[in-house]
């Protein structure tokens, strides 16, 4: 097997990939919850929330592929099973019985979790000069901050 020559040492690549895997697992959990709440949200604001959540789960879905493929470009294997993701994330399953404001509050909190994980991955990448991963995590931070703002505003908050 030929050595992977990207200017990063094997340990540096593995360290960044480990942090990216956590960001991937958190993103996957939030994707599942957002898609489920798109189905199960109820109330007078149904249509707008149903559509907002669709926009958000589609955005996260596309990002899952970007993050996983960045892990592969670093020469590591991407986690791919529900159990592997469950082991890597602290985000709990959604509850379809919740009312709409409880769903939104939970999603806002979970976006905060993903933001913290993405920031840790960004810092790990920055430490070893992995600019491509820094770039990807920067985009993810902005996307989750934007999503959280839209959810807060839907609750009448700033
Ligand atoms: Fe749908």
């Amino acid at each position: 097997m030929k050595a992977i020559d990207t200017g990063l040492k094997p340990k540096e690549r593995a360290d960044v990939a480990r942090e990216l895997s956590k960001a991937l697992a958190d993103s996957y959990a939030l994707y599942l919850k957002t898609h489920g709440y798109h189905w199960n949200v109820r109330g007078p604001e149904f249509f707008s929330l149903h559509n907002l959540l669709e926009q958000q789960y589609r955005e996260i879905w596309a990002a899952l592929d970007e993050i996983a493929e960045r892990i592969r470009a670093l020469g590591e294997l991407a986690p791919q099973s529900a159990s592997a993701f469950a082991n890597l994330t602290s985000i709990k399953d959604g509850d379809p019985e919740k009312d709409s404001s409880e769903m939104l509050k939970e999603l806002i909190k979970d976006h905060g979790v993903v933001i913290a994980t993405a920031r840790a991955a960004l810092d790990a990448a920055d430490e070893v000069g992995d600019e491509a991963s820094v770039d990807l995590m920067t985009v993810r931070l902005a996307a989750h901050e934007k999503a959280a703002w839209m959810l807060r505003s839907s609750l009448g908050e700033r």
Side-chain angles (χ1 to χ4, degrees):
M1 192 176 74
K2 288 222 173 93
I4 297 170
D5 184 14
T6 60
L8 298 174
K9 297 184 183 80
K11 185 184 179 304
E12 293 172 337
R13 288 190 279 104
D15 287 348
V16 174
R18 191 177 327 106
E19 297 305 313
L20 290 176
S21 293
K22 293 178 196 165
L24 177 62
D26 280 350
S27 301
Y28 184 77
L30 183 53
Y31 160 77
L32 278 182
K33 188 180 288 184
T34 303
H35 203 154
Y37 285 174
H38 158 80
W39 296 327
N40 289 313
V41 71
R42 303 171 306 284
E45 302 298 319
F46 167 78
F47 197 65
S48 62
L49 293 177
H50 177 71
N51 286 335
L52 173 63
L53 295 174
E54 173 162 351
Q55 184 188 314
Q56 295 190 343
Y57 81 66
R58 286 180 184 276
E59 196 281 332
I60 300 170
W61 178 258
L64 296 176
D65 205 48
E66 297 296 326
I67 301 166
E69 291 181 1
R70 180 64 203 151
I71 293 167
R72 294 295 298 119
L74 287 165
E76 299 294 321
L77 296 177
Q80 67 164 68
S81 66
S83 59
F85 286 134
N87 285 334
L88 286 167
T89 186
S90 61
I91 293 176
K92 303 283 174 246
D93 287 344
D95 176 1
E97 300 288 348
K98 285 188 171 179
D99 68 28
S100 63
S101 74
E102 290 304 313
M103 286 181 180
L104 298 193
K105 283 179 200 160
E106 186 186 1
L107 290 172
I108 291 164
K109 188 168 71 63
D110 291 343
H111 278 284
V113 171
V114 182
I115 286 167
T117 308
R119 188 166 279 123
L122 189 155
D123 289 345
D126 194 36
E127 245 171 61
V128 301
D130 176 0
E131 307 298 357
S133 297
V134 168
D135 208 48
L136 178 57
M137 289 298 103
T138 302
V139 171
R140 296 318 303 150
L141 283 178
H144 288 288
E145 288 176 12
K146 182 175 179 179
W149 152 56
M150 290 189 172
L151 294 167
R152 286 196 310 274
S153 289
S154 299
L155 286 170
E157 297 170 5
R158 293 179 71 155

